[in-house]
Amino acid sequence: QVQLWESGPGLAKPSQTLSLTCTVSGEPITTNDAYWSWIRQPPGKGLEWIGYILYTGSTYYSPSLKSRTSIWRDTSKNQFTLHLSSVTPEDTAVYYCWRSIGGGLAGYWGQGTQVTVSS
């Protein structure tokens, strides 16, 4: 069974960098054709895709967030990490990591972690 678990601080101050780590068990993140994504859901809003890291280590980010986003991995720990810089209260959301299977929202999801940006 593939499981994903988000971890990181639940609070961040404006202008700081948000850092979250997804730990994966049950499948190497280097598995052929696997995409590993970060998704978020602000309060009262829908899901927003942030970006992904491919099994090769290549990355792609949402055009609306790419200037502030970086994703990298540690294959020895089977983890991938999100950094979102210059955060504002609009970045307050539940953040999920996600292993895509097919199209749409199919796949394996982490439990989600609440991040609040506030001074």
Side-chain angles (χ1 to χ4, degrees):
Q1 179 79 13
V2 178
Q3 297 183 62
L4 292 78
W5 301 97
E6 303 92 348
S7 61
L11 296 173
K13 295 182 178 180
S15 80
Q16 290 185 333
T17 295
L18 168 66
S19 181
L20 297 173
T21 295
C22 183
T23 300
V24 179
S25 65
E27 181 183 43
I29 60 175
T30 54
T31 297
N32 191 45
D33 293 337
Y35 289 74
W36 305 90
S37 296
W38 285 100
I39 312 289
R40 69 180 184 181
Q41 186 170 33
K45 299 182 180 180
L47 295 169
E48 179 184 21
W49 177 73
I50 300 169
Y52 67 70
I53 185 164
L54 193 63
Y55 66 103
T56 62
S58 298
T59 56
Y60 187 80
Y61 308 125
S62 170
S64 64
L65 296 171
K66 64 181 180 181
S67 66
R68 300 193 290 129
T69 305
S70 63
I71 300 173
W72 68 90
R73 65 181 182 173
D74 185 339
T75 57
S76 68
K77 298 179 180 179
N78 218 41
Q79 296 176 331
F80 60 102
T81 296
L82 168 70
H83 275 196
L84 183 66
S85 66
S86 302
V87 297
T88 73
E90 292 187 353
D91 293 309
T92 294
V94 177
Y95 285 74
Y96 300 91
C97 52
W98 172 48
R99 197 278 203 226
S100 176
I101 300 177
L105 299 178
Y108 299 102
W109 293 78
Q111 81 283 0
T113 186
Q114 172 70 44
V115 177
T116 299
V117 180
S118 176
S119 61

